């Protein structure tokens, strides 16, 4: 039986940092909803909870697959391990999954490509939006925020369990997808309402401040724009990346 030692407690807390997550090949999910939404989708390594939570969740108190049982902890211990300002009653530690991006992924479905999205809240919301609109794969540049950071996990509201997220050389990943159509969001693009939108292909969402990089833009076949309303009126410089993703996917899904 695993005991909550000081070293283990420090390791769980240090999963807030990307370098530790990669070293340990593990990530953290906190809170009842987040844990219950993810616990059957990832390989569970540890489950920490206060006594009240364990007693009120008898369905998993015997252990996931009869192997990993909840480890009862004091609220003080939970505070030491938590990433949140107000610690929750339960923390799950999962193995980081090893997803392989399949060739032809964009032949049968839409794939979202993220070009250096840096805000964890934006990334988490984009994952949640992609889940809502039936996207199964998101490809990311290496400069994109880590999808397994605690802030991203919280923002996905469980959608992290249904989306495969791949990091690497973004132009190469786009090539691997074998997409016939690669859509990029640009301020000088054609109105999304005037462009023929296919139900398959790649949609690129650019960096919050700089948009789509030149090296990635070379692979775009369709430059699209979400126009402001009314046309020509003064407005903000651009849309939030997550908001732009939601509007774009809604258009692609015919809404």
């Amino acid at each position: 039986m695993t005991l909550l030692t000081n070293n283990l407690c420090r390791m769980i807390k240090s999963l807030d940092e990307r370098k530790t997550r990669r070293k340990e090949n593990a990530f953290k999910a906190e809170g009842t909803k987040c844990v219950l939404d993810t616990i059957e989708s990832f390989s569970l390594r540890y489950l920490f909870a206060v006594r009240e939570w364990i007693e009120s969740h008898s369905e998993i108190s015997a252990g996931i697959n009869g192997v990993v049982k909840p480890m009862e902890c004091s609220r003080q211990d939970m505070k030491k391990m938590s990433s949140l300002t107000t610690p929750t009653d339960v923390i799950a530690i999962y193995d980081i999954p090893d997803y392989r991006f399949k060739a032809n992924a964009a032949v049968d479905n839409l794939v979202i490509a993220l070009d250096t999205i840096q805000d964890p809240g934006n990334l988490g919301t984009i994952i949640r939006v992609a889940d809502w609109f039936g996207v199964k794969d998101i490809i990311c540049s290496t400069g994109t925020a880590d999808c397994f950071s605690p802030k991203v996990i919280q923002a996905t509201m469980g959608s992290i369990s249904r989306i495969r997220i791949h990091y690497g050389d973004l132009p190469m990943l786009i090539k691997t997808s074998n997409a016939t159509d690669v859509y990029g969001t640009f301020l000088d693009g054609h109105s999304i309402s005037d462009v023929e939108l296919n139900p398959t292909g790649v949609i690129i969402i650019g960096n919050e401040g700089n948009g789509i990089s030149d090296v990635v833009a070379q692979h775009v076949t369709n430059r699209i724009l979400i126009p402001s309303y009314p046309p020509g009126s003064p407005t903000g410089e651009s849309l939030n990346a997550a908001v732009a993703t939601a509007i774009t996917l809604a258009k692609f899904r015919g809404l």
Side-chain angles (χ1 to χ4, degrees):
M1 178 179 178
T2 303
L3 298 177
L4 183 59
T5 63
N6 288 334
N7 284 340
L8 179 56
C9 194
R10 283 193 292 268
M11 189 278 283
I12 301 305
K13 175 60 180 174
S14 68
L15 290 175
D16 293 357
E17 302 172 9
R18 185 169 189 161
K19 63 180 181 180
T20 304
R21 290 192 295 273
R22 297 304 166 185
K23 176 184 175 183
E24 299 292 338
N25 194 42
F27 71 100
K28 176 172 25 177
E30 299 190 57
T32 297
K33 185 181 188 310
C34 186
V35 170
L36 294 182
D37 283 346
T38 55
I39 202 164
E40 294 185 357
S41 300
F42 299 104
S43 176
L44 180 65
R45 191 178 299 186
Y46 302 110
L47 185 64
F48 307 99
V50 298
R51 177 178 297 180
E52 295 85 351
W53 193 92
I54 294 173
E55 291 175 346
S56 62
H57 293 83
S58 57
E59 73 277 13
I60 62 174
S61 62
I64 302 301
N65 296 326
V67 178
V68 181
K69 296 183 179 181
M71 188 184 305
E72 183 179 326
C73 299
S74 68
R75 293 195 178 276
Q76 186 61 29
D77 285 333
M78 297 295 285
K79 184 177 181 179
K80 291 178 182 178
M81 295 184 288
S82 178
S83 307
L84 306 177
T85 303
T86 303
T88 59
D89 291 343
V90 60
I91 297 174
I93 307 301
Y94 300 117
D95 295 337
I96 292 177
D98 183 19
Y99 297 132
R100 301 297 181 186
F101 187 54
K102 297 179 180 179
N104 303 320
V107 173
D108 299 318
N109 200 352
L110 287 172
V111 171
I112 297 295
L114 303 181
D115 188 3
T116 320
I117 294 295
Q118 296 181 316
D119 182 79
N122 272 342
L123 177 56
T125 303
I126 288 170
I127 294 169
R128 190 176 174 186
V129 167
D131 182 30
W132 185 264
F133 285 108
V135 174
K136 298 304 180 184
D137 290 282
I138 295 178
I139 53 178
C140 306
S141 64
T142 54
T144 295
D146 184 6
C147 66
F148 294 110
S149 76
K151 288 182 179 179
V152 175
I153 296 297
Q154 289 294 323
T156 70
M157 297 294 288
S159 290
I160 190 73
S161 63
R162 291 178 290 275
I163 303 290
R164 297 180 294 268
I165 303 170
H166 318 269
Y167 287 82
D169 180 87
L170 195 55
M172 185 59 65
L173 289 171
I174 292 171
K175 288 181 180 179
T176 300
S177 76
N178 284 330
T180 301
D181 296 290
V182 179
Y183 302 86
T185 51
F186 295 89
L187 292 177
D188 63 350
H190 299 288
S191 171
I192 194 169
S193 298
D194 299 331
V195 175
E196 182 179 352
L197 305 176
N198 293 323
T200 61
V202 172
I203 302 171
I204 304 172
I205 305 296
N207 173 265
E208 291 93 340
N210 301 316
I212 297 174
S213 61
D214 291 341
V215 67
V216 175
Q218 294 176 15
H219 299 272
V220 172
T221 61
N222 299 277
R223 298 169 69 96
I224 58 176
L225 163 73
I226 300 171
S228 59
Y229 186 87
S233 64
T235 187
E237 184 176 296
S238 62
L239 284 173
N240 169 276
V243 172
T245 303
I247 295 172
T248 301
L249 282 176
K251 281 287 190 179
F252 270 83
R253 295 313 192 197
L255 303 180

